[in-house]
Amino acid sequence: MTHTTVHRLSEFAVGLLFGLGLLISGMTDPGKVLGFLDLAGAWDPSLALVMGGAIVVGFFAFGSAKKRTTSFLGGALHLPTAKDIDKRLVIGGLLFGAGWGLAGFCPGPGIVTMATGEPKAALFVVAMIAGMLVFQFTDRKPKS
Amino acid sequence: MTIDWANFTPWMSLGGGILLGIASAVFILINGRILGISGILGGLLAPKTGDIGWRVAFVLGMLAAPVTMSLLTPDDFISVPRIEAGYVMIVVAGLLVGYGTRLGSGCTSGHGVCGLSRLSPRSLVATGIFMAAGFAIVFVIRHLL
């Protein structure tokens, strides 16, 4: 196997694992997501456990990633460098959170639920891609 | 506050969350990439030479998850999606999620999981804001309108 094949296979496997995690955790059920976001109703705390479980594992992984200069496959480690807490971060978060609360889908679960054959999830993904394209073609700030 | 015990799935959610953490861990340590869905997708919409293959492979893996799950587990193992929103609401939600995640450079995976795991103050602020906006919108829709 060539080096590129190993890369592509591992990326596919990670995408698959991530998709399975979304399905098992309940994130692909908008009813469950909205149950978590509805603090004033009958509250479903499940999503706190999803985030908690993911972050505990991630904490150790990123702790060791920060001490490395290359990945295990020998490539660059693309750790984010942006640190600024600016208007873009705040407004982007507000818009995203509003959309998340409207339908109960965030990007990953939207894509995985689309793949279950759910037409509304497919419509969500199409609209999400349209939103991304609108951003891309109207954004004035040069990409760093 | 009342807890919705009937829908609370502590073990499945914790187990699924740990899988999300393992996927994020493998992606940064083995592939050197941040597992952030909006970023991975956004990069495909503005493709650069040599920066496409890994994104396509990852998305194909995600798309293969439901069929894999149905082969491995009984039919009622995972919860069926309950979608309350109508078609117009779905489109508005999608546009907001797409635009907002690109403007804010991340979503639940990139900021929420990877960013908080890295102890990034920027991601902590982003996550706090999108969660707060989500709580607020659901409150308005379910309790005020």
Side-chain angles (χ1 to χ4, degrees):
Chain A
M1 272 201 297
T2 68
H3 195 62
T4 309
T5 313
V6 174
H7 269 272
R8 291 304 91 89
L9 285 176
S10 64
E11 289 142 8
F12 179 88
V14 173
L16 177 61
L17 187 64
F18 191 77
L20 294 175
L22 289 176
L23 287 164
I24 293 171
S25 67
M27 291 290 294
T28 52
D29 174 11
K32 198 155 188 64
V33 173
L34 297 180
F36 174 76
L37 292 176
D38 188 6
L39 291 175
W43 188 54
D44 179 354
S46 304
L47 259 64
L49 290 168
V50 180
M51 292 297 283
I55 290 167
V56 167
V57 178
F59 172 77
F60 291 102
F62 282 98
S64 93
K66 281 177 191 170
K67 296 185 194 119
R68 300 181 57 92
T69 49
T70 58
S71 71
F72 291 174
L73 287 177
L77 264 178
H78 301 273
L79 284 167
T81 51
K83 294 224 168 2
D84 33 327
I85 295 167
D86 54 9
K87 230 196 290 182
R88 295 165 69 88
L89 188 79
V90 173
I91 297 172
L94 285 173
L95 295 176
F96 164 45
W100 190 35
L102 278 182
F105 279 128
C106 53
I111 292 171
V112 174
T113 309
M114 174 180 75
T116 67
E118 174 58 54
K120 277 185 174 172
L123 182 65
F124 172 83
V125 171
V126 170
M128 175 175 79
I129 289 171
M132 289 178 167
L133 289 170
V134 170
F135 171 77
Q136 192 176 310
F137 291 116
T138 56
D139 186 37
R140 297 292 172 88
K141 192 185 176 191
K143 290 270 153 25
S144 53
Chain B
M1 177 184 284
T2 50
I3 303 284
D4 182 5
W5 294 108
N7 284 307
F8 184 39
T9 52
W11 298 111
M12 292 283 280
S13 288
L14 185 63
I18 289 171
L19 281 186
L20 300 177
I22 293 173
S24 308
V26 170
F27 218 37
I28 191 64
L29 287 171
I30 294 188
N31 298 98
R33 301 285 181 186
I34 290 284
L35 201 164
I37 308 302
S38 57
I40 292 173
L41 215 54
L44 276 179
L45 302 176
K48 294 193 197 96
T49 312
D51 189 47
I52 302 165
W54 71 275
R55 298 173 192 270
V56 172
F58 179 87
V59 173
L60 289 176
M62 277 181 85
L63 291 171
V67 66
T68 308
M69 181 66 76
S70 66
L71 292 173
L72 296 178
T73 59
D75 279 349
D76 57 352
F77 185 68
I78 57 160
S79 41
V80 178
R82 293 164 289 162
I83 307 177
E84 286 170 33
Y87 289 101
V88 175
M89 190 91 106
I90 291 276
V91 170
V92 174
L95 289 169
L96 285 169
V97 169
Y99 189 91
T101 51
R102 295 307 290 147
L103 180 63
S105 311
C107 59
T108 353
S109 46
H111 279 313
V113 175
C114 293
L116 294 191
S117 295
R118 292 189 298 119
L119 309 177
S120 152
R122 178 173 146 88
S123 288
L124 181 62
V125 169
T127 306
I129 289 172
F130 71 67
M131 299 273 290
F135 287 131
I137 286 285
V138 172
F139 182 76
V140 169
I141 291 177
R142 290 201 171 171
H143 303 286
L144 294 184
L145 294 182

